Amino acid sequence: MSRPGFFVDAWDPAYGASFEASALGPAAPSSGQVDPDVELPAADWRALGPAVGVRSPEVVLLVDGVRRIDASVWTAEADGVSYPGIAASYAAGVVRCDLGRGVAELAGARVARGLFTASPSAGDVVAGSVRYPVRRVGGSGELSKLPAAVQGPLTALEVEVSDAARVDGDLLVVDGPLRARRQLPRTLGYVKTQHSQYLDARLAAVVTGLTPGQRCPVFRLGIGTAWGSWSWYLRLPVTRGAPWAGIVRVECSPDLTPAEAVALADLSLVTLPRFASTPYKDPRAPQNLIPIAGLERRLRSLLGDARLLHRALSASARRAR
């Protein structure tokens, strides 16, 4: 009787895991409705290699955003009620990769800040030379839910920097699901951490059986939802290990035709592996693409010194009192 396999995830545990199984295990089904019969009938699913004649584009743009909570705040309302808030900094940027010349350069970056709270009386906060415009959130504004409120403005900032950097014929890769960026042309969402299992056990076995440089067939994900997409999994270059090692999920707009989605899937397979990171350089290798890792470091530096901002916010609060 053979013993079950034992694997160690290549990711540094400080970053979580490359595949985050639910309490029910990796095979626990997602609530999202899936149609696997897009590129191939489900009964014929198999690993797919690079399509003949498909070459990576000359220019690839990779966009990412970072966010940071600079301070948690509380308001004191005239009626005695107190509302929580967070002073947050966030930034978005684009790396332009010229594959012909082998050059990657920052094509644009923007920084924004905000005071996120449900307080009806809160106004903009000035901390030294930095302003945090108030961004009113709905509901009761529980402190635990406020960090999620930063995602919308951050996504909007990513769209702005993407539009400013694009030219005809390039390929745009956004780090994470497409969300509100589904309208952008020739755009891929790049999901490096797999939180959910969308496929049944037989189709998932096709995914975990992929070798580096292979992908699964395109399938329709989240049918009838606002977050739905055409999607596929591919395996980046990686030393064979855990079943999901090096697996990423890629998605594109559901507004495309199936043929257009398949064409983007073929393009992704000859493009994304070129940017895969290596374990000795990145604790989230190979999924954390080399240009994205560099962009994240640059964007975090643009956010400013967190300790100085916290002190400036504290001083601003004392003056206000």
Side-chain angles (χ1 to χ4, degrees):
M1 179 178 177
S2 61
R3 298 177 61 186
F6 175 76
F7 303 95
V8 175
D9 198 311
W11 279 28
D12 184 325
Y15 292 92
S18 57
F19 180 86
E20 297 185 3
S22 71
L24 298 177
S30 164
S31 59
Q33 187 177 355
V34 173
D35 177 13
D37 303 312
V38 176
E39 185 174 4
L40 290 176
D44 296 332
W45 261 45
R46 64 182 186 276
L48 302 175
V52 176
V54 176
R55 299 178 58 185
S56 58
E58 292 185 5
V59 174
V60 180
L61 300 177
L62 295 100
V63 61
D64 193 15
V66 299
R67 56 186 174 178
R68 186 186 67 205
I69 298 176
D70 296 331
S72 296
V73 303
W74 293 87
T75 67
E77 307 295 325
D79 59 3
V81 176
S82 185
Y83 289 89
I86 56 172
S89 297
Y90 50 99
V94 179
V95 176
R96 184 181 187 276
C97 299
D98 188 323
L99 299 181
R101 296 190 298 131
V103 175
E105 56 190 1
L106 184 66
R110 296 183 186 177
V111 178
R113 309 183 199 272
L115 174 65
F116 295 81
T117 181
S119 166
S121 67
D124 296 358
V125 173
V126 178
S129 61
V130 175
R131 178 179 293 274
Y132 292 80
V134 66
R135 289 186 173 271
R136 210 86 55 190
V137 301
S140 57
E142 299 96 323
L143 183 60
S144 62
K145 296 182 179 180
L146 291 177
V150 184
Q151 185 59 54
L154 175 55
T155 298
L157 198 63
E158 291 177 358
V159 172
E160 289 179 20
V161 297
S162 301
D163 287 343
R166 297 205 75 171
V167 295
D168 292 339
D170 58 19
L171 177 68
L172 181 68
V173 180
V174 301
D175 192 57
L178 288 177
R179 295 191 181 98
R181 300 165 290 201
R182 299 191 304 175
Q183 78 282 4
L184 300 176
R186 284 175 63 82
T187 300
L188 300 177
Y190 177 82
V191 183
K192 56 177 174 280
T193 304
Q194 309 310 316
H195 295 281
S196 302
Q197 176 58 273
Y198 298 106
L199 304 173
D200 63 35
R202 187 178 63 82
L203 299 182
V206 174
V207 175
T208 56
L210 297 174
T211 60
Q214 290 184 329
R215 67 172 177 87
C216 77
V218 173
F219 57 95
R220 184 70 179 264
L221 176 61
I223 299 172
T225 67
W227 53 269
S229 65
W230 301 111
S231 193
W232 58 94
Y233 293 97
L234 63 83
R235 193 186 294 273
L236 299 171
V238 66
T239 302
R240 190 65 179 174
W244 288 87
I247 295 289
V248 297
R249 185 174 65 82
V250 189
E251 62 181 28
C252 63
S253 171
D255 298 332
L256 300 176
T257 66
E260 290 171 330
V262 170
L264 281 176
D266 287 335
L267 193 62
S268 73
L269 191 58
V270 298
T271 303
L272 296 179
R274 302 180 62 167
F275 302 117
S277 52
T278 53
Y280 74 91
K281 289 185 176 180
D282 194 312
R284 289 177 288 172
Q287 288 99 317
N288 201 39
L289 303 181
I290 292 173
I292 291 293
L295 178 59
E296 287 177 343
R297 289 192 295 269
R298 175 60 176 158
L299 293 177
R300 289 194 180 97
S301 70
L302 294 177
L303 294 182
D305 189 296
R307 293 170 297 180
L308 291 177
L309 286 169
H310 190 276
R311 286 201 291 267
L313 285 162
S314 298
S316 178
R318 287 193 297 269
R319 289 193 299 271
R321 289 197 299 269

